[in-house]
Amino acid sequence: MIKRELLQQIFVPAFSIFTFCIFWELLVWANGWPDYKMASPSDIGPAFWKFKTLFIYYGWETLWRTVVGLVFAVIVGIGLGIIMGFSKILRDALFPILVGFNAIPKATVVPVIALMFVGMHDMNTILIVIFIAFFPITVSISVGLSTLEPEYEDILLSLGASKLQIFYKIALPKTLPEFFGALKVSTTLAFIGTNLMEIIEPHGKGLGHLFDSGKINADYPLMFAVLIALAVMGIFLFYLVLILERIFAGWAERS
Amino acid sequence: MYINIKDISHKYSNEDEDLLVLKDLSFSVEKDKFVSIVGPSGCGKSTLTKLIAGLSMPYKGKILISGTPINSPRKSIGMAFQNPVLLEWRTTVDNICLPLEIVSPQMTRKQKIERATELLEMVGLKDFSQSRPSQLSGGMKQRVSLCRSLVHRPEILILDEPFGALDAFTREGLWRTLKDLKTSENFTCILITHDLREAIYLSDEVVILTDRPGTVKKSVKTNFQINSNSVDELYSKEATEMLAFLRKQIELSHTKL
Ligand SMILES: Nc1ncnc2c1ncn2[C@@H]1O[C@H](COP(=O)(O)OP(=O)(O)OP(=O)(O)O)[C@@H](O)[C@H]1O
Ligand SMILES: [Mg+2]
């Protein structure tokens, strides 16, 4: 029974991706689109093969910056979320600033950051990732903490528990489902962050660079291949978060 | 007197005005007795429980427990509310262990689980010790909440409308469970309720509060004991008369408005 479920979990997505590719291929073929308009899956495969070492090398560059940035975004996001969740004054003080900050399109922040820290490409990229990805986490944690029903606190407080005990015994685990929801959004955003930096302020590293060289050489299948690679990496990280969620907040799932 | 509440007043301060919730309220409870508190909605009953639990201080008057004034939470209090507030990520038995983790960190996990299981057995939920709260019915959750409030052997149990959200039959079942627990565990109980039958069935004394600002309107000893564990005795002549009497007291407090 379990084996069947597992098969189903692998087979169904695989089949849907396969169908999607067929449909795509047929669409391009039926319309007679040239490569520069819409590359087809049968062109993208060879593009991957041709640049396979570059894909691995640049893909890794993009991936580690994204993941490091995401980790920092989580730390910053949780930190701000805790501060804003527990203190109403700080919540009122910080919220407008954070909302305003989040409202600035990050593409315009990229050149500013690049100027501020000229040449420090790794740090620039990671900074942008943090800026773009911390907000959902902050909101989820602060809302989770500030909406804790007072009875939860009363039960522990009446026993003489400390604020810290209430935090890690109740408040923190209780916000985990919201946190993971936000982390999924942040993961996708983090990739946008890395690629913004790589494409707007090219520093010769990462998949963004590969994309740029595809553009310069009018190698359209390569450009599409980069998009696919980004999607694959995004899916990979997303599922990683999903697994973590199952482990740490699986209790919130209703069967 | 074991619990001695002396002339307490309490107010909540909002931005522009103070709301006086309790005014010169006094009553006392003897050790191991069971007292019910009834009164109109919003008269300050829940506020009173918070004061007794030491979660906040009355702005006037004082509360003595065994002669000592309380000015901070004590480990010897157990609380349960209308909302059972179980922790969804913990199993039933681990939910019950929670107070022990705060109050008796020196206990081993095995000892904690033994104690929790003992209580689970008493409320008839032994088979559900490994279930999650989401797998329990409302009545079962409230039973677990009761176990949690008693697991650390508190001297005082404070119940704030614990059965308010349950249907009549489930409620009667829980009354019986609470009575059983009262005989096997030793505690003094203060129960807030809106249900006069519940008050009569469970308690030795019923304290009736006035409208806000709440103060004691009348204190009535339910001077007969429902000994058998049957809810049927609630329908005896004596109990019905008591019920009618209590009802009247409360109605009078309304017509005063
Ligand atoms: N934290 C608070 N801040 C300000 N006002 C409060 C607060 N808690 C309660 N009140 C007010 O104090 C009054 C008494 O509230 P309380 O919850 O003690 O009433 P209650 O007797 O328990 O009512 P019910 O029977 O409906 O539960 C209410 O008018 C309520 O609006
Ligand atoms: Mg109340």
Side-chain angles (χ1 to χ4, degrees):
Chain A
M1 217 41 209
I2 285 167
K3 213 175 145 196
R4 217 191 103 182
E5 257 173 46
L6 196 70
L7 267 178
Q8 190 176 330
Q9 269 187 0
I10 295 169
F11 182 73
V12 172
F15 183 75
S16 74
I17 291 172
F18 181 73
T19 318
F20 177 76
C21 289
I22 295 279
F23 185 72
W24 180 0
E25 184 81 42
L26 281 177
L27 196 72
V28 173
W29 175 76
N31 285 298
W33 282 328
D35 261 357
Y36 57 82
K37 198 163 183 187
M38 185 83 166
S40 59
S42 58
D43 302 325
I44 293 172
F48 267 121
W49 188 247
K50 202 164 126 200
F51 299 104
K52 56 182 180 298
T53 45
L54 285 183
F55 265 107
I56 291 170
Y57 178 69
Y58 287 133
W60 168 245
E61 298 243 310
T62 297
L63 187 65
W64 80 257
R65 288 195 190 90
T66 309
V67 171
V68 170
L70 194 58
V71 169
F72 278 110
V74 167
I75 294 170
V76 172
I78 292 182
L80 282 171
I82 289 176
I83 292 171
M84 288 166 64
F86 279 131
S87 159
K88 189 170 158 23
I89 295 179
L90 284 175
R91 178 158 69 243
D92 292 344
L94 287 174
F95 217 77
I97 298 175
L98 291 183
V99 170
F101 188 79
N102 192 51
I104 301 173
K106 293 300 167 302
T108 60
V109 179
V110 167
V112 179
I113 298 256
L115 265 180
M116 281 169 81
F117 307 99
V118 179
M120 302 164 75
H121 299 308
D122 292 345
M123 191 172 109
N124 288 344
T125 315
I126 289 168
L127 265 181
I128 282 294
V129 174
I130 297 174
F131 285 167
I132 209 169
F134 82 95
F135 192 71
I137 296 172
T138 299
V139 171
S140 74
I141 294 276
S142 72
V143 169
L145 293 182
S146 61
T147 54
L148 191 71
E149 291 95 326
E151 286 102 329
Y152 282 101
E153 280 187 277
D154 286 352
I155 281 181
L156 285 192
L157 280 179
S158 66
L159 299 169
S162 65
K163 276 269 175 198
L164 188 69
Q165 279 175 317
I166 293 175
F167 177 67
Y168 71 82
K169 290 225 183 270
I170 296 184
L172 188 70
K174 205 171 159 50
T175 50
L176 274 182
E178 282 104 333
F179 165 74
F180 276 107
L183 186 57
K184 284 181 212 162
V185 177
S186 289
T187 305
T188 337
L189 289 176
F191 271 107
I192 298 180
T194 357
N195 282 280
L196 271 179
M197 190 48 110
E198 288 170 355
I199 289 173
I200 299 180
E201 291 288 330
H203 46 57
K205 287 174 183 167
L207 285 178
H209 173 64
L210 198 58
F211 184 80
D212 255 3
S213 50
K215 204 163 93 187
I216 290 162
N217 298 317
D219 189 343
Y220 299 104
L222 176 59
M223 289 167 75
F224 272 89
V226 170
L227 297 186
I228 303 268
L230 282 171
V232 168
M233 274 165 35
I235 292 171
F236 167 74
L237 269 196
F238 189 89
Y239 274 91
L240 203 67
V241 172
L242 218 60
I243 291 170
L244 290 177
E245 183 182 27
R246 284 266 166 82
I247 295 171
F248 291 108
W251 51 266
E253 217 170 275
R254 300 282 151 87
S255 45
Chain B
M1 281 302 158
Y2 181 55
I3 304 176
N4 210 338
I5 297 170
K6 277 188 170 168
D7 287 327
I8 56 164
S9 299
H10 194 67
K11 57 183 175 186
Y12 288 109
S13 305
N14 282 351
E15 290 100 49
D16 31 50
E17 51 173 355
D18 286 355
L19 182 70
L20 189 63
V21 178
L22 297 171
K23 188 167 185 293
D24 302 330
L25 182 143
S26 310
F27 70 93
S28 50
V29 185
E30 276 171 69
K31 195 158 174 56
D32 291 337
K33 289 289 175 195
F34 196 124
V35 171
S36 291
I37 298 175
V38 299
S41 179
C43 75
K45 301 183 295 299
S46 299
T47 307
L48 180 61
T49 64
K50 295 217 167 76
L51 297 177
I52 298 173
L55 293 171
S56 47
M57 291 277 104
Y59 101 98
K60 244 171 66 191
K62 57 185 167 186
I63 299 174
L64 304 167
I65 294 181
S66 312
T68 15
I70 43 171
N71 38 32
S72 63
R74 307 152 40 95
K75 293 180 192 302
S76 56
I77 281 186
M79 290 185 102
F81 312 93
Q82 176 166 359
N83 179 355
V85 289
L86 300 179
L87 310 184
E88 293 282 331
W89 56 95
R90 290 182 175 224
T91 59
T92 302
V93 71
D94 283 337
N95 259 291
I96 298 174
C97 287
L98 181 72
L100 293 177
E101 292 165 19
I102 308 288
V103 174
S104 323
Q106 78 286 351
M107 275 173 91
T108 63
R109 181 164 161 76
K110 190 161 166 279
Q111 287 171 320
K112 288 178 194 156
I113 290 182
E114 252 166 42
R115 168 68 180 146
T117 313
E118 184 188 4
L119 284 167
L120 269 177
E121 212 162 332
M122 263 187 251
V123 302
L125 286 180
K126 193 160 180 281
D127 296 343
F128 292 87
S129 70
Q130 295 306 316
S131 305
R132 301 272 172 178
S134 56
Q135 296 166 317
L136 302 179
S137 71
M140 289 155 114
K141 280 185 195 159
Q142 208 47 262
R143 278 169 206 269
V144 175
S145 167
L146 271 182
C147 291
R148 180 179 59 189
S149 65
L150 287 171
V151 71
H152 54 300
R153 302 182 199 277
E155 287 163 11
I156 300 170
L157 177 66
I158 299 174
L159 303 172
D160 191 350
E161 295 179 49
F163 316 132
L166 304 175
D167 68 88
F169 290 109
T170 312
R171 197 181 300 181
E172 287 189 4
L174 270 144
W175 294 350
R176 262 177 275 155
T177 305
L178 183 55
K179 234 180 161 62
D180 288 346
L181 286 168
K182 180 82 178 70
T183 29
S184 54
E185 310 270 314
N186 271 324
F187 55 86
T188 309
C189 189
I190 295 180
L191 168 77
I192 311 287
T193 180
H194 281 299
D195 184 341
L196 294 178
R197 284 177 195 282
E198 182 171 299
I200 292 176
Y201 180 68
L202 289 169
S203 51
D204 305 302
E205 187 174 346
V206 181
V207 175
I208 302 167
L209 299 189
T210 61
D211 265 308
R212 193 181 67 229
T215 189
V216 177
K217 180 181 161 54
K218 201 172 180 78
S219 179
V220 182
K221 290 246 184 322
T222 46
N223 50 358
F224 64 97
Q225 194 66 45
I226 296 183
N227 284 319
S228 82
N229 207 353
S230 150
V231 180
D232 293 343
E233 287 204 18
L234 260 184
Y235 299 89
S236 69
K237 187 163 173 288
E238 214 178 3
T240 314
E241 275 168 7
M242 177 60 72
L243 188 66
F245 177 69
L246 283 177
R247 264 200 62 113
K248 213 163 171 189
Q249 299 304 317
I250 288 164
E251 251 161 3
L252 282 174
S253 107
H254 276 294
T255 46
K256 210 176 63 185
L257 279 176

